[in-house]
Amino acid sequence: MNPSSFINENRGALVLFSGGQDSTTCLAWALSRFSRVETIGFFYGQRYAVELTCRHILRDRLLTVVPTWSTRLGPDHMVDLSLPEHIRNAVLADQTNSLPTAFVPGRNLLFFTYAAAIAWSRALRHLVGGMCETDSSGYPDCRDDTLKALQVTLNLGLARQFVLHTPLMWRDKAATWQLAESLGGAVLVDLIRTHTHTCYSGDRSSLHDWGYGCGTCPACCLRATGWKHYIHIRKRRRTGHTLNE
Ligand code: ZN
């Protein structure tokens, strides 16, 4: 598509899609709002590439959750962002900071900058990411202010009017499950529960109530706690319905 048509295209979105719970919920969010949705994924030397396998299955199955979504989902773009070895080694060697060992410096800045370049070439105006300040584990590039500043920088640097959307920014994991339910009902919740992957250990041997994972790493603990809260909220809501009827 000719980039010059950008100004007339307000309904196209590019979603940062890793195959995890958050980015899959964001993809469903975008499919419910925009007439054209494309996805972008990054390989950056992750210890486990399970998420990248999950993304293909999720893209296929999302098409069946809501009939209109199949007409909206467009191509997937994969980008190799393998970090130079000296940066990876510096991160692993730095045990003095309080950030998780999976931390990659400025990862989300890189993601959105690459996404903007692709969105520019595809005439897509909206960029969507699953960053969250509520459960960010201290990642400074997940902060709302960081991404608001990045939107200004990208718009100046590319002479465009991109809009960065972060629908999960102020949601905890329980609220993210609730958002999925509101977008695609129980079918979407179950798809995300059984086919997304967030475990740092890459473990898909055990299916828990909240999905696959080792059950002990920080990502599994966060996901399990969020699921428990979501189920609690859902039960209370259903009980409330019964009382009001
Ligand atoms: Zn785990």
Side-chain angles (χ1 to χ4, degrees):
M1 185 175 290
N2 187 338
S4 65
S5 64
F6 182 90
I7 290 168
N8 296 322
E9 174 54 86
N10 286 324
R11 302 302 301 161
L14 182 62
V15 179
L16 307 184
F17 180 53
S18 69
Q21 177 189 352
D22 292 346
S23 69
T24 305
T25 306
C26 285
L27 179 52
W29 181 89
L31 286 166
S32 71
R33 275 164 180 76
F34 300 106
S35 58
R36 189 160 61 96
V37 178
E38 301 185 10
T39 53
I40 180 169
F42 299 93
F43 181 80
Y44 54 98
Q46 295 101 318
R47 278 184 299 172
Y48 302 98
V50 178
E51 280 193 355
L52 300 182
T53 307
C54 290
R55 19 189 342 275
H56 300 296
I57 299 168
L58 287 161
R59 272 180 51 95
D60 284 348
R61 301 212 177 179
L62 275 169
L63 301 181
T64 64
V65 174
V66 174
T68 52
W69 290 3
S70 63
T71 64
R72 296 179 172 187
L73 186 60
D76 183 33
H77 309 273
M78 277 303 296
V79 176
D80 187 345
L81 275 186
S82 298
L83 286 176
E85 196 171 350
H86 65 277
I87 296 181
R88 279 207 307 275
N89 290 343
V91 172
L92 290 172
D94 184 3
Q95 300 298 323
T96 58
N97 66 44
S98 58
L99 296 165
T101 53
F103 176 69
V104 175
R107 185 179 67 167
N108 292 312
L109 306 179
L110 293 172
F111 288 174
F112 265 128
T113 302
Y114 272 85
I118 289 179
W120 186 93
S121 71
R122 302 287 300 165
L124 300 166
R125 182 179 186 191
H126 300 272
L127 305 175
V128 184
M131 296 77 188
C132 172
E133 199 162 313
T134 312
D135 285 337
S136 69
S137 305
Y139 292 107
D141 56 338
C142 285
R143 291 175 188 156
D144 193 45
D145 282 349
T146 304
L147 298 174
K148 282 190 163 67
L150 181 61
Q151 174 178 292
V152 174
T153 302
L154 292 172
N155 287 342
L156 288 170
L158 284 90
R160 288 289 190 265
Q161 289 183 303
F162 293 113
V163 183
L164 269 60
H165 300 269
T166 52
L168 308 185
M169 183 57 73
W170 307 112
R171 287 182 160 95
D172 61 16
K173 290 290 183 197
T176 300
W177 286 114
Q178 286 180 278
L179 174 62
E181 185 185 324
S182 73
L183 294 168
V187 175
L188 181 60
V189 169
D190 204 50
L191 177 66
I192 292 173
R193 187 179 74 84
T194 55
H195 287 285
T196 64
H197 186 84
T198 44
C199 174
Y200 288 161
S201 302
D203 186 338
R204 287 191 71 75
S205 59
S206 307
L207 178 60
H208 308 270
D209 289 348
W210 42 267
Y212 285 97
C214 71
T216 56
C217 76
C220 282
C221 291
L222 191 61
R223 182 161 164 153
T225 304
W227 176 261
K228 194 173 153 189
H229 287 163
Y230 163 64
I231 293 299
H232 181 65
I233 291 165
R234 201 170 67 177
K235 276 183 186 162
R236 279 180 51 191
R237 197 177 61 215
R238 286 177 180 173
T239 307
H241 262 297
T242 307
L243 290 172
N244 292 334
E245 282 168 2

